[in-house]
Amino acid sequence: MISQTGRRQQWRLWLGLAVLGLCALVGMGLGAIAAPDFSGTVDVLPLNAQLGAQIYLRRCGTCHLALPPETMPAEAWQVLIQDTNHYGATLPPIPRPEMIPLWNYLRTYSRALGADAQIPFRVGRSPFFRILHPRVELPEPVTFGSCSQCHPKATLFNFRELTPEWQHSP
């Protein structure tokens, strides 16, 4: 026979396990909601690049459409992430613990400019953006809103999915 004290201890143990299990389920559910899906990026991201991509999306994609790093040269990204005057908006500096994985991500997935080329700070002037869109008649100027006309899930950082008229284009 179990004493009254033993029953209370068993009850506390089971209650504690139930609360712990519930917390784990809620945590897994919230983690699944908060984790971005990088399957639609231009280049598929391995796990070691996803932290930098998450920082990029949080830092840049909350105010405007986050462009894939492949669309701009590394030299432009390097200036953009360090400049606190961002196209007329004053931004707080990015702290070093975030800057390192952010820069590693942008540097890895962007391309370097030629030695004598000018750094484009507008996506429409980037040679890499134009290379990624060889048969597209781009609007002038190219804006963030232009992207969603062909990439319906661009706001979700999915640039692989295209509108029906572009799905089977060569």
Side-chain angles (χ1 to χ4, degrees):
M1 241 165 105
I2 299 175
S3 69
Q4 189 73 7
T5 305
R7 283 188 201 150
R8 275 192 224 134
Q9 287 177 342
Q10 275 186 337
W11 165 249
R12 288 181 185 153
L13 176 66
W14 285 110
L15 181 62
L17 288 173
V19 168
L20 183 62
L22 183 61
C23 288
L25 285 173
V26 169
M28 288 186 326
L30 289 175
I33 292 169
D37 176 16
F38 294 116
S39 62
T41 57
V42 175
D43 291 319
V44 177
L45 295 182
L47 283 174
N48 65 349
Q50 290 185 14
L51 174 61
Q54 288 174 347
I55 293 168
Y56 171 66
L57 289 176
R58 185 172 40 82
R59 286 276 174 182
C60 305
T62 54
C63 296
H64 58 75
L65 181 69
L67 296 171
E70 294 87 347
T71 60
M72 298 286 281
E75 295 83 354
W77 289 118
Q78 187 174 25
V79 171
L80 289 171
I81 63 173
Q82 293 180 41
D83 192 0
T84 57
N85 184 3
H86 187 70
Y87 299 102
T90 303
L91 302 175
I94 299 171
R96 186 166 170 79
E98 288 186 9
M99 182 64 83
I100 292 169
L102 172 62
W103 171 237
N104 286 338
Y105 166 67
L106 292 172
R107 182 185 59 212
T108 299
Y109 292 96
S110 60
R111 287 26 173 186
L113 270 179
D116 57 345
Q118 256 192 330
I119 299 173
F121 290 105
R122 299 284 181 188
V123 70
R125 295 185 187 132
S126 171
F128 306 114
F129 179 77
R130 298 214 177 253
I131 289 168
L132 287 167
H133 300 85
R135 287 174 287 287
V136 178
E137 194 172 315
L138 297 168
E140 212 34 70
V142 175
T143 64
F144 291 124
S146 310
C147 300
S148 60
Q149 291 175 0
C150 300
H151 303 277
K153 293 190 177 178
T155 56
L156 301 172
F157 207 56
N158 179 337
F159 292 89
R160 287 187 184 267
E161 189 167 320
L162 299 168
T163 55
E165 61 267 20
W166 288 102
Q167 285 180 354
H168 301 292
S169 67

